[in-house]
C-alpha cells in the first residue's frame, strides 16, 4: 500500500536518526511492488529519503507476470534496482543476496503463483565462484526472499534437499564457520 510506504519511510528515517555511532544499511527482502511494475519508481523515490543504502531482493511478486519466462520476468526489477543476485562485504562480514525462486511458465507467461525453490544453474555457478574468495572463518550473511534452509516440509515449502541446488548450497555453506540466513516471503 502506498499509504503504508509513507509511514515506513518516516519510521526508517526516524530510526536512522537515533543511530549515530555506526553506519546504517537496509535490506528489503522482496515483494516490493506486488506485481505492479510501475510502483518501482515510487519505491525508489522513497528510498532516496532514507539517508542510508538499501539492498534489495527480488520477491515472487516483483516478477513481471506479462513476461514469457523467469529471466524476462525480473527485467523490471533489474532495470530499476540492479541485479537479482550479488554479494558485498561490510566490515568482516560477507553478504550474499540470492534470487531463490524460479518462476514457472504457464500458457506462455510467468505464472502468478507458480514457482519452484532453488537456484538456477547460472546462479549456482556464480555462487560457487563468489564463495571461492571468502575465507572459511568469515561470517556469511545469506539474504533471500523465500527461506533457503528448512529441516522438514511445511505447507508448500520444500526442504533444501528438494530444492534445485539445495543440497549443493547447503554443503557449500556448511564449510563456513558462521552462516546467517535471512528471508522475507
Amino acid at each position: 500500500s502506498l499509504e503504508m510506504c509513507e509511514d515506513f519511510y518516516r519510521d526508517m528515517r526516524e530510526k536512522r536518526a537515533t543511530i549515530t555511532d555506526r553506519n546504517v544499511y537496509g535490506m528489503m527482502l522482496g515483494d516490493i511492488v506486488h506485481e505492479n511494475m510501475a510502483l518501482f519508481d515510487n519505491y525508489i523515490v522513497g528510498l532516496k529519503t532514507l539517508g542510508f543504502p538499501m539492498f534489495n531482493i527480488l520477491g515472487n511478486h516483483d516478477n513481471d507476470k506479462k513476461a514469457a519466462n523467469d529471466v524476462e520476468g525480473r527485467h523490471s526489477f533489474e532495470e530499476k534496482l540492479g541485479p537479482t543476485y550479488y554479494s558485498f562485504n561490510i566490515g568482516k562480514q560477507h553478504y550474499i543476496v540470492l534470487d531463490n525462486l524460479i518462476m514457472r511458465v504457464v500458457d506462455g507467461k510467468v505464472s502468478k503463483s507458480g514457482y519452484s525453490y532453488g537456484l538456477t544453474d547460472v546462479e549456482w555457478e556464480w555462487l560457487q565462484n563468489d564463495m571461492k574468495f571468502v575465507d572459511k572463518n568469515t561470517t556469511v550473511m545469506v539474504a533471500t526472499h523465500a527461506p533457503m534452509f528448512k529441516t522438514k516440509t511445511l505447507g508448500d515449502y520444500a526442504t533444501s534437499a528438494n530444492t534445485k541446488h539445495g543440497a549443493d548450497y547447503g554443503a557449500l555453506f556448511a564449510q563456513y564457520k558462521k552462516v546467517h540466513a535471512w528471508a522475507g516471503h
Side-chain angles (χ1 to χ4, degrees), residues 100-113:
N100 69 332
L101 297 172
I102 303 168
M103 303 307 288
R104 291 190 191 121
V105 176
V106 177
D107 297 327
K109 291 185 181 177
V110 170
S111 171
K112 285 193 179 234
S113 61

Side-chain angles (χ1 to χ4, degrees), residues 59-80:
N60 53 300
H61 294 289
D62 300 321
N63 277 277
D64 187 345
K65 300 305 179 193
K66 297 176 187 167
N69 57 52
D70 183 60
V71 172
E72 289 179 19
R74 59 182 181 242
H75 280 182
S76 292
F77 179 96
E78 292 173 325
E79 287 173 3
K80 300 293 183 176

Side-chain angles (χ1 to χ4, degrees), residues 67-140:
N69 57 52
D70 183 60
V71 172
E72 289 179 19
R74 59 182 181 242
H75 280 182
S76 292
F77 179 96
E78 292 173 325
E79 287 173 3
K80 300 293 183 176
L81 298 173
T84 59
Y85 55 93
Y86 55 96
S87 67
F88 55 94
N89 295 322
I90 296 177
K92 296 179 181 179
Q93 296 178 337
H94 185 68
Y95 288 78
I96 303 164
V97 172
L98 296 170
D99 172 8
N100 69 332
L101 297 172
I102 303 168
M103 303 307 288
R104 291 190 191 121
V105 176
V106 177
D107 297 327
K109 291 185 181 177
V110 170
S111 171
K112 285 193 179 234
S113 61
Y115 48 84
S116 58
Y117 298 94
L119 306 178
T120 65
D121 294 339
V122 171
E123 190 174 6
W124 167 238
E125 185 176 328
W126 171 86
L127 178 61
Q128 291 174 88
N129 288 330
D130 180 71
M131 296 306 289
K132 287 179 187 176
F133 300 99
V134 179
D135 183 273
K136 302 292 192 232
N137 291 313
T138 300
T139 298
V140 177

Side-chain angles (χ1 to χ4, degrees), residues 24-86:
V24 174
Y25 305 92
M27 180 120 358
M28 179 60 77
L29 297 172
D31 286 352
I32 300 166
V33 298
H34 204 59
E35 299 165 15
N36 183 347
M37 301 302 111
L39 292 180
F40 277 121
D41 290 331
N42 298 63
Y43 174 69
I44 292 166
V45 167
L47 289 182
K48 291 178 181 178
T49 71
L50 296 179
F52 58 88
M54 182 71 74
F55 297 95
N56 297 285
I57 298 170
L58 178 75
N60 53 300
H61 294 289
D62 300 321
N63 277 277
D64 187 345
K65 300 305 179 193
K66 297 176 187 167
N69 57 52
D70 183 60
V71 172
E72 289 179 19
R74 59 182 181 242
H75 280 182
S76 292
F77 179 96
E78 292 173 325
E79 287 173 3
K80 300 293 183 176
L81 298 173
T84 59
Y85 55 93
Y86 55 96

Side-chain angles (χ1 to χ4, degrees), residues 52 67 94 142 163 179:
F52 58 88
H94 185 68
V142 183
T163 299
V179 177

